[in-house]
Amino acid sequence: KGNKCYELWRYVEGTTVYGSLFTVSRSGVQAGFSAERSWFRVAPNPLVSGWAMVRYSLPKAGPVTVTVFDVAGRSVQRQTLVANKAGAVALDLRKLVSGVYLVRLDASDLSQTQKLVVQR
């Protein structure tokens, strides 16, 4: 930092800069992309209309529970269905007031939670 500017420069070992191309090469343990992270998605987000679609892709078909929680952790809505390996389910969320909610999808051995913002 210097010359009356607010830019901070830091040297990172193993970094190569070519014009606007920035390549980072690191060795050791690091977090990587996992396909398991994105096996379900809630859309639209933020929710305005009151109807949300939960799209999922599971490793095997079976019973699935979709639960909507408020920020205090109370269950606001719960829906159980027998799901295929991939598909979608519509959630009627017209009764919810504006705020932040958590949507959790529980399959046989999988569980994942995503944030949903409701705007009215």
Side-chain angles (χ1 to χ4, degrees), residues 17-37:
V17 178
Y18 296 106
S20 63
L21 178 62
F22 185 74
T23 308
V24 176
S25 172
R26 296 183 183 132
S27 61
V29 179
Q30 63 180 347
F33 176 76
S34 172
E36 296 173 341
R37 289 185 183 177

Side-chain angles (χ1 to χ4, degrees), residues 26-119:
R26 296 183 183 132
S27 61
V29 179
Q30 63 180 347
F33 176 76
S34 172
E36 296 173 341
R37 289 185 183 177
S38 59
W39 58 274
F40 98 96
R41 169 178 234 145
V42 181
N45 196 3
L47 179 68
V48 179
S49 66
W51 288 90
M53 289 295 292
V54 176
R55 299 186 193 284
Y56 56 86
S57 177
L58 304 171
K60 62 180 180 177
V64 171
T65 303
V66 179
T67 311
V68 180
F69 297 96
D70 60 5
V71 291
R74 296 179 297 240
S75 175
V76 178
Q77 183 175 350
R78 179 176 297 222
Q79 186 172 347
T80 304
L81 62 133
V82 178
N84 294 327
K85 288 179 74 170
V89 60
L91 295 177
D92 182 11
L93 303 175
R94 292 178 287 183
K95 296 178 185 177
L96 299 182
V97 296
S98 296
V100 177
Y101 295 88
L102 299 173
V103 179
R104 185 173 76 192
L105 194 134
D106 294 310
S108 59
D109 57 344
L110 299 172
S111 179
Q112 188 176 16
T113 305
Q114 288 194 358
K115 180 175 70 169
L116 174 67
V117 178
V118 176
Q119 294 178 344

